[in-house]
Amino acid sequence: MTWSKLKAFASWTLCGVALVIVFLSVTFPYEQLQARVLAELSRSSGLVMTAEQWSLAWPLGLEWRELGLTGPDLPRVRVDRLQLSLLPGSLLDGRPSLAGRAEVGGGSAEQRGQVASRATLSSWSRPALSHLTGTVERLDLGKLGIPTLKRGLLQADFDQQWRALPGSSGAGQLQPADGQWQIELTEVQLESVPLGPAVLPSVGFASLKGRLQCRDGTCRIEMLEGRGPDGTLKGIGTLVIRNPLPQSDLTLSVTLIASPEFAQRASAAGFALASPGLPVNITLKGPVANLQLAL
């Protein structure tokens, strides 16, 4: 091929690429696409998602700002920024993969909690979630409106798979399969909690760690440990996943050993069982949205 022919070929190639870019930028229905993606996320999660702003995240992504999440028995959560990008390598595979990144908590980007994940869908024709991995960094749960939780910085690593229920063909008929979750909370502060006629005073833990092993829709809480100025706790239990998530069934047995300072505050609040140095056994049981406590 002569130099002139090579230049002509390169020119026509660049022209074709430019026309494709113009087509994608001007004529592709991105507005309908981002609305469809939000609708699919809402359907699969059981939450209602609305965003004040959206934009393209080149080359193959979408970004939403001021995203609101609402659901039954859940406080409204605001996500400052959510970005989803299709991984180019999955275009040639029958199982598309997405990379996601979210910022939660307000303030500057450095102060917000960060959630990074990678999701694999079952197929292009049935975009149901089949595998999710990710990490959570410095997410302040106190800013999510969780009742009684004033503060708690969350760090987590997770690897969870889903599979279709036997005999189902719809994208929504899924149940959690194998999964592992490592969770750590630091600087935990709980507000006063009414317990029958008594009130458990505010309690703080310097650290609270947990490990879950999930299989066939049931997660075993293999380890739950906490320690801080108000005492220590250890616990084990199970979590049976339901849809919606707040209806999941929790059975958790916790042993508390209160510090002398906390025991004194508890006694003044009418919670006289918290004797310093002596273990107190507590059982939490029932749907997550309406747990029953027994001593």
Side-chain angles (χ1 to χ4, degrees):
M1 182 180 291
T2 65
W3 174 245
S4 60
K5 291 183 178 179
L6 183 61
K7 287 176 61 178
F9 176 77
S11 298
W12 280 110
T13 301
L14 291 175
C15 181
V17 172
L19 289 174
V20 171
I21 293 175
V22 170
F23 166 76
L24 291 176
S25 301
V26 177
T27 64
F28 192 83
Y30 289 106
E31 177 69 42
Q32 292 89 332
L33 176 63
Q34 69 87 22
R36 174 65 184 275
V37 172
L38 279 186
E40 284 295 321
L41 290 174
S42 298
R43 181 194 59 78
S44 59
S45 66
L47 303 174
V48 177
M49 300 185 181
T50 57
E52 295 185 8
Q53 303 176 30
W54 73 274
S55 61
L56 297 178
W58 289 97
L60 297 171
L62 293 167
E63 180 178 302
W64 296 269
R65 292 184 179 272
E66 305 300 324
L67 183 70
L69 281 65
T70 57
D73 303 317
L74 288 175
R76 177 179 173 84
V77 175
R78 191 190 77 171
V79 178
D80 299 278
R81 175 174 170 266
L82 172 64
Q83 181 176 313
L84 292 177
S85 299
L86 180 67
L87 298 177
S90 67
L91 291 173
L92 304 177
D93 194 357
R95 295 163 58 85
S97 297
L98 301 170
R101 181 170 294 275
E103 297 177 359
V104 186
S108 65
E110 294 76 16
Q111 296 173 323
R112 298 171 187 163
Q114 306 286 329
V115 181
S117 63
R118 174 171 175 164
T120 301
L121 307 182
S122 56
S123 67
W124 289 103
S125 60
R126 195 182 70 177
L129 184 63
S130 64
H131 192 193
L132 182 67
T133 62
T135 60
V136 181
E137 296 288 341
R138 64 177 189 280
L139 177 59
D140 189 351
L141 299 182
K143 296 182 179 179
L144 302 185
I146 300 175
T148 75
L149 182 58
K150 183 178 181 181
R151 180 174 172 79
L153 297 178
L154 173 65
Q155 304 227 139
D157 294 284
F158 53 89
D159 186 327
Q160 181 66 53
Q161 299 183 51
W162 283 262
R163 67 185 176 199
L165 291 171
S168 68
S169 58
Q173 302 299 311
L174 300 173
Q175 71 172 3
D178 296 346
Q180 296 180 350
W181 297 70
Q182 294 277 354
I183 299 171
E184 181 176 2
L185 280 167
T186 56
E187 304 177 36
V188 183
Q189 188 69 41
L190 298 174
E191 295 283 16
S192 300
V193 181
L195 296 175
V199 176
L200 182 68
S202 61
V203 57
F205 291 97
S207 68
L208 188 63
K209 299 179 181 180
R211 182 176 65 249
L212 286 79
Q213 188 79 28
C214 302
R215 188 175 182 84
D216 296 332
T218 298
C219 296
R220 290 186 295 111
I221 304 173
E222 296 182 333
M223 182 269 290
L224 178 64
E225 295 181 354
R227 59 182 63 252
D230 289 331
T232 63
L233 70 81
K234 290 187 177 182
I236 57 173
T238 59
L239 178 66
V240 181
I241 305 298
R242 308 289 188 200
N243 191 15
L245 191 60
Q247 296 304 315
S248 299
D249 289 321
L250 175 67
T251 301
L252 180 63
S253 298
V254 177
T255 300
L256 293 171
I257 299 179
S259 67
E261 295 78 8
F262 178 76
Q264 185 177 6
R265 296 202 317 272
S267 179
F271 197 78
L273 292 178
S275 302
L278 296 179
V280 176
N281 296 318
I282 296 178
T283 299
L284 294 171
K285 191 172 184 179
V288 172
N290 186 27
L291 289 173
Q292 302 296 316
L293 181 145
L295 296 173

